Each structure stands twice: as structure tokens, then as C-alpha cells.
Amino acid sequence: MNRLMTAKDTIGLKLESTSGVAATLDANDYGIGARNISYSPNVEHYMRELATGNWSKFASVAGRQSGEITFECDMTQGGTAGTFATPPRWFTAMRCCSMNQTGYTGGVRVITDSTQDQNTCTIELVKRQEGATPSQLVVKLVGCAGDWEIDCAQAGQPAKVKFTFKGVISSVTTRSYASILTPASFDTQSPAAMLSATIQLFSVRYRDWE
């Protein structure tokens, strides 16, 4: 049986210096190890139904153009195993979800911070085509802000962070084979399997296994 070749989506993400102004991404910005990438455009159209004496319609006018991108990442650490001095690449996405990246005695962490509400990012969703010299379809969203949740639903598997971002569709272009971007590198540490979880609520601690 021949193996079927399927296009692989990749995500590039970079913080914007000015909110709503597109950042320029390079290969280093494509290092987020994402999976289950989904994109949903939302383009409004103003329909021009003028009184012409028949059922003919005039060309519609495109209005607001926004998009939603969802993806998930394993909760890996960056840098050397057992240390937290180097932030993992998915921390960049967290910083656009009202989280602040700070240092502490053990290394680097992200914490909730209302002053980070205005952090936005530019996201590029890339769909690589097939063939000997494949091009890339690039959907660019600017002014993206998002939300996140931790998924620990399956014991014995790594915990995951699920992201949902919304932004303005800036462009949909084709990147030629000569100009394609290949991710420079990904986080090399493997995530740990989550075997149990401890939750403390109103000073009562619960521990759960599956």
C-alpha cells in the first residue's frame, strides 16, 4: 500500500510591538510545537439588493474580516531537563492571553497579570502544498488575543494547553517554494505523563487517579 502524503499545518506566532500592527515573522517564530490546528474565518458581506425591476443582485461588499485559530501544545519545559531557566516556546502564546512571564528563584514562569491585557500577537497559519517544489498558503491574523485551558483529561498522558485566538485577517497569500519558512527548532524536552492530580479547594485537598 502506498503511503498517502498529506499537507502539514504549522503555526508561527510573534508578539506585536504595537497592538494591531503586524509583526514580521521569521523561522524562529515557528518553533511552537502545536497540534490539532483549526482555523475558522468570519467574513461579513453587505449584500446590495437594489431596485432594478428584476432579481439581479449587485456585487456584495466585504465588511469585517476576522478569524479564529485554535491549537494545543504539550506542557513541555524549555532548555535543559530539570531546569526552568529557559521558557518553553508556548509561553509566547500565554503572554497574549493576559499572562505575564516573570523570573523567580527556580527559573521562569507565567502568572496572571491584568496589566498584560493589551499584549497581542501576529499569527501565521501555514498550509504546505504537495509536489517537488511545494508552495505555502499563508493566512495571517493580526491583533490576536486569546484564551487558554489546561487539559488533564487522560491519566497516563502528558497534560496539554489548549489555545483559542481571535484576530483580524490581514492577508491570505501564497509563499513560493524559494521563500518558504522552515521552523528553526522546537523544544527538545519530552513532556512528563500526568499520573495523578492534587486539587485544593477551601483548604480541603483532593487527590485523584484514573
Side-chain angles (χ1 to χ4, degrees):
M1 180 182 294
N2 294 326
R3 298 183 64 184
L4 299 178
M5 299 297 293
T6 57
K8 298 295 184 180
D9 295 350
T10 53
I11 283 284
L13 188 151
K14 188 172 186 177
L15 289 171
E16 295 171 344
S17 299
T18 303
S19 181
V21 178
T24 301
L25 279 68
D26 57 33
N28 291 318
D29 300 313
Y30 280 84
I32 295 180
R35 65 158 65 90
N36 295 332
I37 302 170
S38 176
Y39 166 64
S40 301
N42 180 22
V43 180
E44 298 181 359
H45 284 271
Y46 172 69
M47 306 304 295
R48 302 175 64 226
E49 300 180 357
L50 307 182
T52 60
N54 54 46
W55 294 103
S56 299
K57 295 183 179 180
F58 288 75
S60 62
V61 178
R64 292 181 295 185
Q65 304 181 47
S66 61
E68 179 180 282
I69 291 180
T70 63
F71 59 93
E72 60 186 47
C73 303
D74 290 333
M75 291 188 66
T76 56
Q77 65 182 75
T80 306
T83 66
F84 298 90
T86 302
R89 292 181 178 271
W90 53 271
F91 268 23
T92 304
M94 298 285 281
R95 294 173 64 187
C96 299
C97 300
S98 300
M99 303 294 287
N100 188 19
Q101 179 177 303
T102 64
Y104 73 113
T105 55
V108 180
R109 63 183 177 181
V110 286
I111 59 174
T112 56
D113 190 338
S114 60
T115 65
Q116 304 299 308
D117 285 347
Q118 296 183 4
N119 278 350
T120 57
C121 62
T122 296
I123 297 178
E124 289 184 353
L125 169 62
V126 176
K127 294 180 176 290
R128 182 166 178 165
Q129 309 302 316
E130 298 298 329
T133 57
S135 59
Q136 292 179 330
L137 178 66
V138 183
V139 179
K140 177 181 284 190
L141 271 62
V142 302
C144 297
D147 198 3
W148 61 275
E149 62 177 295
I150 295 178
D151 180 5
C152 303
Q154 190 69 35
Q157 295 185 5
K160 297 182 288 291
V161 185
K162 295 184 176 181
F163 292 98
T164 300
F165 281 94
K166 292 184 179 180
V168 177
I169 300 175
S170 173
S171 61
V172 180
T173 57
T174 299
R175 184 179 290 156
S176 67
Y177 177 72
S179 302
I180 65 173
L181 292 178
T182 302
S185 63
F186 294 93
D187 290 325
T188 57
Q189 300 302 322
S190 298
M194 192 199 70
L195 302 179
S196 66
T198 300
I199 300 174
Q200 183 166 321
L201 182 64
F202 302 118
S203 301
V204 180
R205 180 169 296 185
Y206 302 89
R207 192 173 182 87
D208 183 41
W209 293 265
E210 181 172 318

